Amino acid sequence: MEAIKAVAYGCGRMGRLGIQFMYKKGVNIVGAIDSNPALAGMDVGEYADLGVKLGVKIRDDADAVLDECKPDIVIAALFSYVYLCEPMFEKVLSRGINLLTTCDESHHAWHTSPEVVNRLDRLAKNHHCTITGSGLQDVFWMNLPLVCAGGMHEIKRIEGVTTFNTDEYGPALADAYNIGRTLEEFEKKMKGAQPDGFLMRATNAAIIATRGLSPNGLTQQPEPGVSEADMYSEALGKVVPAGCVIGTKEIVKSYTQQGIVVESSDIGKLYREGEGDICRWKLYGEPDVEVQVPNVNSYKFTMSDLVNRIPDVINAAPGYQTNDRFGMTRYLTYPMECYVDRK
């Protein structure tokens, strides 16, 4: 069987990890795209510390890379909002290439950015390819409470909370969570046209979809976190002064026609010494159940889960597919190409 051919679109911190994980799973990395001049011309193998040169250079000409490499799939680690990623996604989908992205909102964006994903859905269907978002939320936010729900007689309420260090992801996510903004800038952004609560709105929508529930409205509330002392942001490469925003808590409460309420919150912020990631879910009903994953490595799980989704995306029907349609993510025991249906 022929190895899967992939292009890495975005070679920052997340993209670099994706290259490492794909290579270890036997994926043939045939191209790499990044606009950072400091990365231009670097061999992908050397850049990602693979211990070998791949003879593939990081380039900033996306059109040329996509045309020359003809990959089975593109792994895109770009921005958190789909509207920011749309121009890059169009380049991929218009060529009939499957696309799997870390874009947080793309996990389930039908309700958060319907106009954008409808355009991407039509484009993918017209060119017979698939676009999907995945990451930590796929396993730990959507499927983990789903497993618990399978053992319950009745569910009345689902509550989840997760925290992560924005410095582990890079400048795009730090900006999405308002790191370094003043409180005045934060308030102005929340009143603007940009979507807020995008990540947990997408998560709640996915949870509701997996349980066959019917959405019936939601409320959302962003809360800024402020430090009393200066803190350094590695992702932004600068000191965030005391009194400025060092993180944002999203609280999204979704209602359903069946009466089940889903409330989830995430806290993306700069970590102080000793802080670690948290993932906790509580399901109330008969009987109640609580599950917590202490010290979950959100950064690595985001990319390892996404890489494990590659065969699902290649095998999927054309269009924008939310990952609740794929079932549970599976561990790939054998080379990745063994899980692809080559028709």
Side-chain angles (χ1 to χ4, degrees):
M1 285 178 283
E2 184 180 354
I4 294 170
K5 295 186 293 183
V7 164
Y9 202 150
C11 298
R13 184 174 172 84
M14 291 302 298
R16 183 173 181 271
L17 185 63
I19 292 168
Q20 293 173 350
F21 285 174
M22 285 192 290
Y23 180 77
K24 292 176 182 177
K25 290 290 186 180
V27 174
N28 183 10
I29 301 167
V30 295
I33 305 165
D34 200 282
S35 60
N36 184 351
L39 303 183
M42 293 185 66
D43 184 273
V44 169
E46 287 186 319
Y47 171 67
D49 290 332
L50 302 182
V52 61
K53 285 188 176 183
L54 298 186
V56 175
K57 305 295 184 181
I58 299 174
R59 301 161 63 187
D60 65 358
D61 189 340
D63 294 306
V65 172
L66 295 172
D67 287 338
E68 295 169 11
C69 296
K70 302 186 184 303
D72 299 302
I73 195 165
V74 165
I75 302 300
L78 298 165
F79 304 106
S80 294
Y81 295 109
V82 291
Y83 81 94
L84 292 176
C85 296
E86 185 179 13
M88 286 73 82
F89 288 175
E90 287 178 341
K91 290 178 181 290
V92 178
L93 300 177
S94 64
R95 291 170 166 82
I97 303 170
N98 297 303
L99 174 63
L100 181 54
T101 176
T102 61
C103 172
D104 304 280
E105 186 185 11
S106 65
H107 175 52
H108 204 294
W110 285 117
H111 301 295
T112 56
S113 294
E115 293 183 359
V116 177
V117 295
N118 269 289
R119 287 195 295 267
L120 294 173
D121 180 55
R122 289 195 300 270
L123 185 63
K125 286 176 178 175
N126 289 340
H127 291 86
H128 308 289
C129 56
T130 304
I131 172 173
T132 303
S134 188
L136 176 80
Q137 60 269 47
D138 193 340
V139 170
F140 288 95
W141 299 356
M142 181 179 71
N143 283 310
L144 185 59
L146 178 63
V147 170
C148 296
M152 298 178 67
H153 169 66
E154 182 182 18
I155 301 175
K156 297 180 179 179
R157 184 181 185 87
I158 301 172
E159 292 183 2
V161 61
T162 184
T163 66
F164 54 87
N165 184 356
T166 55
D167 264 357
E168 291 190 325
Y169 292 85
L173 196 67
D175 179 71
Y177 279 81
N178 304 292
I179 309 300
R181 285 185 169 88
T182 64
L183 286 174
E184 291 77 13
E185 290 170 337
F186 177 88
E187 294 296 335
K188 182 178 180 180
K189 180 188 174 187
M190 292 304 107
K191 293 177 181 178
Q194 287 195 38
D196 58 341
F198 69 98
L199 186 49
M200 302 322 286
R201 283 177 65 189
T203 295
N204 284 13
I207 290 173
I208 289 171
T210 58
R211 286 149 185 82
L213 301 172
S214 304
N216 191 28
L218 60 80
T219 61
Q220 58 191 63
Q221 179 183 354
E223 296 180 352
V226 178
S227 175
E228 296 180 355
D230 294 353
M231 294 185 68
Y232 183 76
S233 169
E234 182 179 344
L236 298 179
K238 67 178 184 180
V239 172
V240 177
C244 288
V245 177
I246 58 165
T248 302
K249 181 179 182 180
E250 299 176 343
I251 306 170
V252 179
K253 185 183 296 185
S254 300
Y255 303 91
T256 67
Q257 293 182 12
Q258 292 79 10
I260 297 174
V261 178
V262 181
E263 179 178 332
S264 60
S265 61
D266 72 313
I267 305 169
K269 64 176 184 176
L270 296 179
Y271 276 9
R272 299 179 178 86
E273 186 175 353
E275 290 185 303
D277 295 351
I278 296 172
C279 180
R280 181 176 65 248
W281 288 95
K282 294 182 180 180
L283 287 76
Y284 298 92
E286 180 60 37
D288 295 345
V289 63
E290 178 178 352
V291 59
Q292 179 168 331
V293 184
N295 299 318
V296 59
N297 191 317
S298 301
Y299 160 63
K300 288 190 175 181
F301 271 117
T302 291
M303 188 53 73
S304 59
D305 179 60
L306 182 139
V307 169
N308 285 341
R309 276 292 189 203
I310 290 176
D312 293 328
V313 178
I314 295 176
N315 293 335
Y320 169 58
Q321 302 289 348
T322 52
N323 49 43
D324 57 276
R325 299 184 179 186
F326 296 150
M328 304 285 281
T329 312
R330 56 186 168 180
Y331 175 75
L332 305 181
T333 306
Y334 304 103
M336 192 178 291
E337 62 267 23
C338 296
Y339 300 88
V340 173
D341 182 14
R342 298 277 191 180
K343 293 182 180 180

